[in-house]
Amino acid sequence: MPPLSSIPRPEDTDQALERERQRICALQTTGLLETPDSDGFDRITRLASALFGAPIALVTLVDIERQWHKSRVGLDTRELPRSVAFCHHTIQSADVMVVEDTLLDERFVHNPLVTGELGVRFYAGAPLVLPGGQALGALCILDQHPRTFDAAQCRQLQDLAALAMNEIALQRTAGRINEITSLYNRAQLVQDLMSQCTQTPGETRTLVLLDVIRDRDLQQAVRAIGIAPLEAGLRDVALHLAQALGPGVQLYHASETRFAYLLPEDGAQPQEQEQAVLRVQRHLQEAFRISRVVLELYLVAGLARFTLDAESAGDVLRRATSALHQADELNRALVWYAPESDTAHRRAFALLRGLTQGLAEGEFRLVYQPQFEVRQQRFSGVEALIRWRHPRHGNVSPAEFIEQVEQTALIHLLTEWVLHTSLAQLAEWNRQGLQLTMAINVSARNLEHPDFALVLRNAIALHGVAAQQLHIECTENVALTGRATQRVLEEIRAMGLKVSLDDFGIGYCNLSCLRGLPAEMLKLDQSLVMPIAHDMQAWTLLRTIISLGQRLGYQLVAEGVETQEILDMVSEAGCDLVQGYFLAYPMEAGEVAPFFAARAAAAPGKLFTADAKELHASAAAQPPVWRLD
């Protein structure tokens, strides 16, 4: 097969190559390649075969190096190399191409389709041309016998090609219309952007993405008034938007409550474009203020300027979405896309995508922060804390990725890794004669999983540790989110595990909640603990919470103990357990046994002295560690 570069071209120039690039881009954006058979196209090829008495009729699409047959009569193969395809020549012109005898045409006399088993002796093809001038392929007929083809027959073939183009238009429109508003949808927006890249490459545009209803408001409205009134409201929004934009601007219904349009490129400055968007928003607000539609608008817009090339246009919707979210967060009517504000989101998403591989390749590890029993004056347990050393980004704080992970099923994978890693280490310490408790953090999604208690039970059995050695920490908000979560916590407690409510005192727990919390331990948030040495109100509040909690039967744990003074105060107030940098920094697994051995041998007054801390000085030099939650 001769290479594509050897096929004769009208002119082998940069201009011709650019036209071909635009043609291929237009073909690919139709979405027709590799699609299933279609009755609409098959009717046309059957009609062409019958009308002209031709044994072979095809609707072809000429791709980069092949001719693909969208519809075919009399030919089994679905594609041919472009280097031998007759239609490659047809698309070079807007006219019908006729070859009455292939053996008399030097272009085809040695063509395998002519000299081979197929034995083509006649060909006639009409190009399939988009309004922008790009030829996608051809409607063609072939015969094994030479024949004449007059002007009337050429016109008939062109008429059938026009029918094929109508079918292509229908195929392109299918799935491109929003059923509620009858506006073009996101798929059509993307296609139109790509088409503009071929028609006016290099020019600049501004995409406006306008959200009209907050998602939470939408869900509440659906529950209150149903779908039908909301759909009617969205149709009204579409109508008023179209009126505000005028007939020269194409409006798209990009997603459930979001609309998109391109600002006219008339040399306007960014400030002028902002004013144009604000005018549209005011028009909508005014229209709905005087209407009887039960729909409260919340209008925010993201604007993104881009260049008409495949890379920039392909990313502009994401960038406009990023700007829209920032506008919502800042409570502003509109925000322009800014790369610096997008960097953190893209980094977080990249980290999320790399989490599974990171677990498999050993990028994650646990460190352990000792916990101190005040009454017994001894260290008795540790809290497992997660660290991620990324090969590209270095030490990554869970504050960057945990919130993202908790929105996906990956949180179950990550929590199970923490569970098995910590229990395996706990079992190893048991074999060394070091009996400790281990606290791990779990998320709301873990507790909402129906099999989470079974996962815990199986893990404890697998590693051969006592259930009493494992403490489960969750936030008070998680513990109070629903009956299902509370049932799981009760099941966990029934297994012999202790449940601790982490960050207690900064959530939405009120005093009445203390009467029936599904937990044994309340872990006071460090924001309550750290100011008590210099803030009398904070000290009074902490003592009150500790006293009340203990009277109700809870153990109290103070975190964020970073000075001797704070340790003395929380001990005096009656805290059962404390942890913080003054007592011990988070440390690697290999440092835990020496640390506990040294503390067991130390005199009571030497538990927290500077020389005793030398055992974990390396841990102190590390950046702060973040818990799994």
Side-chain angles (χ1 to χ4, degrees), residues 415-458:
T415 300
E416 286 196 40
W417 180 87
V418 171
L419 176 63
H420 285 284
T421 303
S422 60
L423 289 184
Q425 183 59 61
L426 190 60
E428 176 60 27
W429 287 330
N430 285 345
R431 287 189 289 270
Q432 296 174 12
L434 181 60
Q435 296 289 320
L436 302 175
T437 59
M438 176 78 75
I440 68 168
N441 290 263
V442 300
S443 78
R445 287 179 68 96
N446 296 139
L447 294 173
E448 290 166 359
H449 196 286
D451 295 327
F452 183 64
L454 179 62
V455 168
L456 287 175
R457 184 180 289 108
N458 290 342

Side-chain angles (χ1 to χ4, degrees), residues 337-596:
Y337 169 78
E340 58 271 16
S341 66
D342 194 31
T343 301
H345 295 286
R346 300 193 74 174
R347 172 183 162 100
F349 184 68
L351 290 173
L352 183 62
R353 292 178 60 186
L355 186 139
T356 302
Q357 181 177 353
L359 287 174
E361 297 185 359
E363 297 171 14
F364 287 85
R365 76 187 194 281
L366 293 181
V367 293
Y368 305 90
Q369 185 171 29
Q371 295 178 324
F372 183 71
E373 282 191 56
V374 175
R375 290 186 178 84
Q376 285 73 23
Q377 287 290 292
R378 67 185 182 97
F379 287 93
S380 59
V382 293
E383 180 182 5
L385 309 170
I386 193 168
R387 277 182 173 169
W388 185 3
R389 184 165 183 80
H390 195 279
R392 178 180 175 186
H393 301 294
N395 288 324
V396 181
S397 164
E400 285 195 72
F401 66 89
I402 286 296
E403 185 176 353
Q404 298 270 351
V405 175
E406 286 185 318
Q407 306 305 313
T408 73
L410 287 174
I411 189 61
H412 303 302
L413 178 67
L414 185 62
T415 300
E416 286 196 40
W417 180 87
V418 171
L419 176 63
H420 285 284
T421 303
S422 60
L423 289 184
Q425 183 59 61
L426 190 60
E428 176 60 27
W429 287 330
N430 285 345
R431 287 189 289 270
Q432 296 174 12
L434 181 60
Q435 296 289 320
L436 302 175
T437 59
M438 176 78 75
I440 68 168
N441 290 263
V442 300
S443 78
R445 287 179 68 96
N446 296 139
L447 294 173
E448 290 166 359
H449 196 286
D451 295 327
F452 183 64
L454 179 62
V455 168
L456 287 175
R457 184 180 289 108
N458 290 342
I460 290 170
L462 175 66
H463 295 284
V465 301
Q468 292 75 13
Q469 289 184 274
L470 183 61
H471 294 180
I472 298 298
E473 293 191 2
C474 62
T475 64
E476 64 178 61
N477 293 358
V478 169
L480 298 170
T481 51
R483 293 181 180 178
T485 300
Q486 292 191 25
R487 282 197 297 269
V488 172
L489 289 173
E490 293 293 356
E491 187 176 353
I492 291 172
R493 295 174 66 193
M495 291 164 51
L497 284 71
K498 280 191 176 182
V499 174
S500 172
L501 297 192
D502 199 11
D503 300 333
F504 185 81
I506 62 171
Y508 56 65
C509 182
N510 55 48
L511 292 177
S512 65
C513 292
L514 287 171
R515 192 159 46 96
L517 286 173
E520 292 84 8
M521 307 172 72
L522 305 181
K523 193 171 188 180
L524 302 171
D525 186 74
Q526 60 182 341
S527 65
L528 296 176
V529 175
M530 294 177 69
I532 62 174
H534 55 80
D535 186 328
M536 183 56 66
Q537 284 189 329
W539 171 226
T540 302
L541 175 62
L542 187 71
R543 282 190 302 175
T544 302
I545 294 175
I546 293 172
S547 175
L548 183 60
Q550 288 187 327
R551 290 186 180 187
L552 292 172
Y554 298 107
Q555 285 185 295
L556 276 297
V557 184
E559 61 177 349
V561 175
E562 298 192 357
T563 67
Q564 179 70 57
E565 184 179 9
I566 293 177
L567 174 61
D568 293 341
M569 293 175 75
V570 296
S571 299
E572 176 191 338
C575 261
D576 300 283
L577 287 169
V578 293
Q579 69 182 82
Y581 290 170
F582 176 72
L583 297 100
Y585 284 85
M587 59 189 67
E588 303 294 337
E591 298 176 294
V592 171
F595 175 89
F596 274 80

Side-chain angles (χ1 to χ4, degrees), residues 14-34:
D14 290 344
Q15 187 176 6
L17 292 174
E18 177 61 17
R19 284 199 300 269
E20 173 64 4
R21 186 191 68 79
Q22 293 182 15
R23 192 193 68 80
I24 291 297
C25 182
L27 171 62
Q28 292 174 346
T29 56
T30 64
L32 289 171
L33 289 170
E34 303 297 340

Side-chain angles (χ1 to χ4, degrees), residues 174-240:
R176 307 297 174 97
I177 299 294
N178 183 278
E179 294 181 357
I180 298 173
T181 60
S182 297
L183 292 173
Y184 284 129
N185 62 14
R186 179 181 178 275
Q188 186 65 48
L189 169 60
V190 172
Q191 179 176 302
D192 288 350
L193 290 175
M194 292 299 105
S195 296
Q196 289 195 33
C197 289
T198 65
Q199 295 166 10
T200 53
E203 293 188 4
T204 57
R205 297 286 188 272
T206 297
L207 178 69
V208 179
L209 188 62
L210 177 66
D211 204 350
V212 298
I213 312 174
R214 289 182 190 231
D215 183 64
R216 61 176 179 267
D217 292 341
L218 177 68
Q219 302 308 320
Q220 291 174 357
V222 168
R223 294 181 63 185
I225 62 176
I227 292 290
L230 286 172
E231 290 182 344
L234 286 172
R235 283 191 286 271
D236 279 352
V237 167
L239 176 63
H240 291 297

Side-chain angles (χ1 to χ4, degrees), residues 32-33 37-48 56-62 67-73 75 77-79 87 123-128 136-142 157 160-165 167-168 171:
L32 289 171
L33 289 170
D37 291 339
S38 166
D39 286 341
F41 288 103
D42 290 345
R43 290 190 187 98
I44 295 171
T45 50
R46 289 196 298 267
L47 180 59
I56 299 174
L58 306 171
V59 171
T60 70
L61 300 173
V62 180
Q67 171 180 289
W68 188 76
H69 304 142
K70 175 59 184 170
S71 179
R72 62 201 189 282
V73 170
L75 187 67
T77 183
R78 195 66 193 251
E79 66 180 53
C87 294
Y123 169 90
L128 305 175
L136 304 179
L139 171 65
C140 64
I141 55 173
L142 302 92
L157 190 61
L160 290 177
L163 292 178
M165 286 306 302
E167 189 65 29
I168 288 174
Q171 292 282 324

